[in-house]
Amino acid sequence: MAEWSWWLAGGGGAMLGGASGGGLGVLGVGSEMTTGLTSFGSEAMYGGPVELRWGPWFGVLTDLDGARGEAGLLLSMGQVRHARWGTYALRLGGGLGDDRLGLTPHLALTLTAGVRHVEGRISERGACDPPATPAPSAFASGLRLFATTRAGLGDERAWQLTFGVELEPSFLLPPHSLSKWIGVHR
């Protein structure tokens, strides 16, 4: 099953090294798509087995002094039906832009932790109903914290360390309804 998500990010951090140190704000938007890599644990376990997923991601961000594009590979871990311990991800990649890191390519590493809901993973059914067949692809919604480090590959060797919140507001996509937005109806 393919899971799609898009996120809006906001936070702050610090510029370290290079000529321009100090604090900075970050705003960004991005998208990811993952497929199952492997799973382990029992179906009888509350929340289902733990699943490792992977796939590509891309994003655009600003530190309010320019913009930067990024892309790379994502590896995430969470339970299939209900991630009672949360969902965690590691994004590795790089990009190019012109902001406080300078006009330079960079490497990026992001760790995220939070909660996610993938509507195509669950279904309302009775105990006597046959098992639900998951949809071939589904959108994920969620809220997660992130920590990112970006290292410029230019001559100054500047790097950023940022922290913040990512909102995956897929529940805002059509079809629209008030009951969907407040979680009453899927």
Side-chain angles (χ1 to χ4, degrees), residues 80-151:
V80 172
R81 288 187 304 277
H82 172 68
R84 66 181 173 163
W85 305 111
T87 300
Y88 304 92
L90 170 68
R91 292 194 302 250
L92 298 169
L96 179 65
D98 187 9
D99 57 9
R100 289 182 63 188
L101 277 177
L103 178 57
T104 181
H106 71 280
L107 298 176
L109 178 129
T110 300
L111 297 172
T112 68
V115 294
R116 284 185 109 193
H117 171 75
V118 182
E119 189 172 325
R121 289 272 180 149
I122 63 167
S123 69
E124 300 297 326
R125 61 181 185 83
C128 296
D129 292 338
T133 303
S137 68
F139 277 110
S141 293
L143 180 68
R144 54 191 177 189
L145 301 175
F146 74 87
T148 301
T149 184
R150 287 179 186 83

Side-chain angles (χ1 to χ4, degrees), residues 11-16 20-26 63-65 100 160-162:
M15 246 340 260
L16 306 165
S20 61
L24 56 95
V26 280
D63 64 7
L64 309 178
D65 192 32
R100 289 182 63 188
Q160 293 177 344
L161 182 60
T162 58

Side-chain angles (χ1 to χ4, degrees), residues 26-110:
V26 280
L27 296 172
V29 61
S31 182
E32 64 190 49
M33 190 280 296
T34 61
T35 59
L37 187 60
T38 188
S39 63
F40 50 92
S42 167
E43 283 289 335
M45 202 167 59
Y46 178 74
V50 174
E51 181 179 43
L52 292 177
R53 301 184 66 79
W54 70 320
W57 66 272
F58 71 91
V60 176
L61 67 118
T62 180
D63 64 7
L64 309 178
D65 192 32
R68 194 159 286 279
E70 298 180 328
L73 184 65
L74 164 85
L75 181 65
S76 72
M77 180 181 78
Q79 285 180 282
V80 172
R81 288 187 304 277
H82 172 68
R84 66 181 173 163
W85 305 111
T87 300
Y88 304 92
L90 170 68
R91 292 194 302 250
L92 298 169
L96 179 65
D98 187 9
D99 57 9
R100 289 182 63 188
L101 277 177
L103 178 57
T104 181
H106 71 280
L107 298 176
L109 178 129
T110 300

Side-chain angles (χ1 to χ4, degrees), residues 157-177:
R157 299 291 182 200
W159 60 286
Q160 293 177 344
L161 182 60
T162 58
F163 302 91
V165 176
E166 289 180 351
L167 174 64
E168 297 174 294
S170 296
F171 58 89
L172 294 175
L173 296 175
H176 296 107
S177 73

